[in-house]
Amino acid sequence: SPSAAAPIVSLNRFERKKNIGLLLHAYAILKKRMLGTNKPLPPLIIAGGYDIKNLENVKYLIELQQLAKSLNICDNDADVIKLFRPSISDEERSILFQTALCIVYTPHLEHFGIVPLEAMYAGRPVVAVNSGGPTETVLHGKTGFLCDNTPDSFCDALEQLCQNPQRSLQIGKAGHAHVKSVFGSDRFQKQWLELVTETMMKAGEKKLSSSSSSLRSRYSVLNGMYYLGDFVMVVVFCVLLIFLLRSVSVLEGDQLIPSKMRELLFGQDGEL
C-alpha cells in the first residue's frame, strides 16, 4: 500500500512530445496547495529512457531541469538528481511501479501507450491526459483520472490522491482487475479462437460451395487446409507487426488486436 513517502512518478522517454513539463507545472501548484494541510507532499520522480547521443534527449532534459528550478521544485543540484532519473534499469523501473502513489502519463494525443497498462497492472492509479490511448484503457474515477491538458486539472487529480492515499490503493486494485479482465491472456486467447473458428467456417463454406462432385469436394477440403495454413502464417506475421507498431506508437490502440484483425480480414460486412 502507498506510504507517506510514496512518490508521484512519471515514466516516459525524455522527448518533447511526452509533455513532461505539464507535470512540473502541476506539481508546483500542488506544492502550494499542500502547504497548511496535515498531509505531506509526496516526492516527485521523473524517470525514463535517455540516450546521451540523442540531441533531443539531452536538450529536453536540460530544459526540464531549468524549469524545475524556476518553479522552485528544486533548490539545488542534489534536488535535481533526486527528481530526474534518466536511463533507469528494469529493476529500478519495476520498483517505481510498485512503490508509487500514482503514475502520471502526460503525452497529449498520443497513440495506445503501454505505460498506463503497466501501471494499472502493478496496482497503481494512472493520471493521464484525456486524449489518445488512455481514453481507451483508463476508466476515469475507477482506475485513474483522465484530465484536461492543463496543470490545474492534473493538480486536482493529484491532490485527491495526496489527501486520501487509501483511495490510491482502492483505485490501484480496480486497475489491476481491469487490465486482467480486458487485456489479459485469457480474453486474448478466447477472441483468437473465435477468430480462427470463424475463418475456418467461412473458408470451408466458400470452398465447398463451388464443389459439384465428391472428387471436387475432397480437393476443395484439401485446398482449404492449405489455404488455412497460409492464413495462419499471415495472422502470426500480422500479430508480430501490430505489437511492433504499438511499441513505437505508430498503431493506434483504439481496438483490441482480435477485433482489429477481424475488421481487416472481413471488413464491415463480415465477408472474407
Side-chain angles (χ1 to χ4, degrees), residues 11 19-20 25 34 41 48 90 99 109 114 132 158 162 224 233 236 242 246 257:
L11 285 165
N19 200 26
I20 301 171
H25 283 284
M34 296 298 290
L41 176 69
D90 290 340
T99 60
L109 295 175
I114 194 66
L158 294 174
C162 292
M233 292 181 65
V236 172
I242 288 173
R246 278 189 173 177
I257 292 176

Side-chain angles (χ1 to χ4, degrees), residues 18 105-118 120 126-140 143 145-147 178-179 182-183 246 249-256:
K18 299 302 182 181
Y105 190 70
T106 50
H108 179 46
L109 295 175
E110 191 169 73
H111 301 308
F112 189 73
I114 194 66
V115 170
L117 289 179
E118 291 179 301
M120 289 187 288
V126 177
V127 180
V129 178
N130 188 21
S131 69
T135 63
E136 303 297 329
T137 56
V138 178
L139 302 178
H140 180 66
T143 68
F145 298 94
L146 296 173
C147 307
H178 173 60
V179 171
V182 177
F183 301 96
R246 278 189 173 177
S249 298
V250 172
L251 182 66
E252 294 190 9
D254 58 346
Q255 290 178 294
L256 294 177

Side-chain angles (χ1 to χ4, degrees), residues 10-182:
S10 167
L11 285 165
N12 280 296
R13 294 188 301 276
F14 284 91
E15 299 173 353
R16 289 184 179 86
K17 68 179 182 179
K18 299 302 182 181
N19 200 26
I20 301 171
L22 172 63
L23 174 56
L24 290 176
H25 283 284
Y27 189 78
I29 298 173
L30 179 67
K31 186 176 180 180
K32 295 177 182 178
R33 290 189 187 180
M34 296 298 290
L35 289 175
T37 69
N38 60 353
K39 299 292 184 180
L41 176 69
L44 176 63
I45 296 176
I46 296 177
Y50 178 83
D51 183 356
I52 195 171
K53 297 179 181 179
N54 185 306
L55 186 59
E56 182 187 7
N57 287 179
V58 175
K59 286 186 174 181
Y60 191 48
L61 177 56
I62 293 174
E63 291 174 11
L64 292 172
Q65 291 171 338
Q66 292 173 342
L67 178 60
K69 289 181 179 179
S70 69
L71 294 171
N72 295 318
I73 295 174
C74 296
D75 296 324
N76 49 55
D77 291 340
D79 289 342
V80 172
I81 294 174
K82 292 178 182 179
L83 171 58
F84 295 99
R85 301 187 187 180
S87 301
I88 59 173
S89 66
D90 290 340
E91 181 180 0
E92 290 173 312
R93 179 184 174 88
S94 178
I95 291 174
L96 288 176
F97 272 124
Q98 296 298 326
T99 60
L101 175 71
C102 63
I103 302 296
V104 182
Y105 190 70
T106 50
H108 179 46
L109 295 175
E110 191 169 73
H111 301 308
F112 189 73
I114 194 66
V115 170
L117 289 179
E118 291 179 301
M120 289 187 288
Y121 188 77
R124 293 295 172 260
V126 177
V127 180
V129 178
N130 188 21
S131 69
T135 63
E136 303 297 329
T137 56
V138 178
L139 302 178
H140 180 66
K142 296 181 179 179
T143 68
F145 298 94
L146 296 173
C147 307
D148 294 336
N149 188 29
T150 65
D152 282 320
S153 182
F154 267 74
C155 182
D156 289 342
L158 294 174
E159 187 176 12
Q160 290 187 51
L161 298 175
C162 292
Q163 295 289 356
N164 186 3
Q166 278 303 116
R167 190 177 184 198
S168 172
L169 180 61
Q170 294 168 356
I171 292 176
K173 288 181 177 179
H176 180 77
H178 173 60
V179 171
K180 288 190 68 175
S181 64
V182 177

Side-chain angles (χ1 to χ4, degrees), residues 204-225:
E205 292 171 359
K206 193 170 183 179
K207 291 293 182 180
L208 290 174
S209 63
S210 62
S211 301
S212 58
S213 67
S214 176
L215 181 61
R216 290 185 62 186
S217 295
R218 292 172 184 172
Y219 173 79
S220 178
V221 172
L222 182 61
N223 196 33
M225 293 176 65

